[in-house]
Amino acid sequence: MSNDMQRRGLMLVLSSPSGAGKTTLSRRLLESDAAVAMSVSATTRRPRQGEVEGRDYFFVSPDSFTGMVQANAFLEHALVFGNHYGTPKEPVTLALAKGQDVLFDIDWQGTQQLRQQAGDDLVSIFVLPPSHAELERRLRARAQDSDDVVAARMARANNEISHWAEYDYVVINDDLDATLAKIKIILAAERMKRGRQTGITAFVGQLTR
Ligand code: 5GP
């Protein structure tokens, strides 16, 4: 496909239990592909150390969050670990209109809602950890959270994993570079789908004139 061929942007969802490497994968994908923009969610959870307002999340009060829900400002929103998370609608609409792909780091509840709204524009990937032991190790290594939070995340991980079969693709993250390569292959193939290449009819037309 020629680089300047007109195409419709797609919505790429990465979901996984926390501790499966999804945040790192998202960051690496964004760094390596300028055609992908990240959807920055709003959340009522407190920032963790190192998190930056507007880059990692928009950190908002429960009242502001409710206001955004009432203003219909979210594409989807859900309660996760007792905190509210939502995907602001406007940046996604603008990015897609420019032909950019948008990457979402959201849970299974959000993915179900996006699937209803976006239909064929949505491509969903579930990232699995390589083993139960490794998942547990990675969850514990996140020392920023209290024991209670870690225990809650373990329970939540089981719940999140139970939704793996609702996704278009499933990737086991046993090696970060290999997993990133697989995600790029999925993205490349999805971009070439006939229905997304909105410029292809005109291109073929001038080939055969
Ligand atoms: P964390 O608090 O660790 O950053 O994220 C907790 C969970 O919330 C992760 O599974 C993440 O994918 C999910 N999440 C983050 N933003 C959103 C969002 O806007 N909508 C939904 N449904 N889930 C989100």
Side-chain angles (χ1 to χ4, degrees):
M1 179 169 77
S2 131
N3 277 342
D4 51 10
M5 180 73 71
Q6 210 186 336
R7 67 178 181 87
R8 201 166 77 228
L10 57 83
M11 298 162 81
L12 183 68
V13 170
L14 278 190
S15 292
S16 75
S18 73
K22 174 184 53 174
T23 309
T24 312
L25 288 166
S26 303
R27 206 191 58 232
R28 298 256 319 259
L29 182 63
L30 288 170
E31 284 166 2
S32 65
D33 190 334
V36 182
M38 184 82 203
S39 164
V40 180
S41 298
T43 182
T44 58
R45 117 158 135 61
R46 285 170 195 274
R48 295 197 190 105
Q49 203 171 7
E51 285 185 328
V52 176
E53 165 74 18
R55 184 194 70 186
D56 299 292
Y57 282 104
F58 296 107
F59 296 98
V60 300
S61 67
D63 279 352
S64 319
F65 194 93
T66 307
M68 290 176 81
V69 171
Q70 282 166 355
N72 200 21
F74 289 127
L75 270 178
E76 61 75 35
H77 60 93
L79 188 65
V80 187
F81 312 132
N83 294 307
H84 294 280
Y85 294 81
T87 301
K89 198 182 282 182
E90 199 181 340
V92 176
T93 312
L94 291 175
L96 290 175
K98 282 194 287 184
Q100 281 217 289
D101 300 318
V102 183
L103 178 64
F104 300 84
D105 171 346
I106 60 175
D107 80 336
W108 64 270
Q109 305 175 78
T111 309
Q112 284 187 351
Q113 293 174 50
L114 276 195
R115 164 104 34 221
Q116 277 169 8
Q117 303 218 20
D120 286 348
D121 283 342
L122 194 79
V123 177
S124 61
I125 306 178
F126 200 89
V127 181
L128 287 169
S131 66
H132 180 78
E134 180 60 15
L135 174 64
E136 202 167 318
R137 195 191 64 73
R138 290 186 198 171
L139 278 173
R140 293 211 171 277
R142 294 192 163 192
Q144 287 187 29
D145 295 319
S146 69
D147 278 359
D148 281 358
V149 173
V150 171
R153 276 171 189 263
M154 294 276 195
R156 174 79 198 178
N158 291 338
N159 181 38
E160 188 75 26
I161 288 174
S162 74
H163 290 275
W164 68 274
E166 296 162 22
Y167 286 72
D168 300 322
Y169 297 91
V170 182
V171 180
I172 299 171
N173 184 19
D174 42 11
D175 175 279
L176 213 60
D177 289 331
T179 304
L180 183 66
K182 287 173 189 165
I183 291 173
K184 286 183 177 175
I185 289 167
I186 293 168
L187 188 56
E190 288 287 343
R191 282 172 173 164
M192 280 184 278
K193 277 201 168 155
R194 179 168 40 78
R196 294 214 168 91
Q197 297 193 55
T198 45
I200 201 74
T201 309
F203 177 77
V204 174
Q206 58 82 33
L207 276 183
T208 54
R209 72 193 155 199

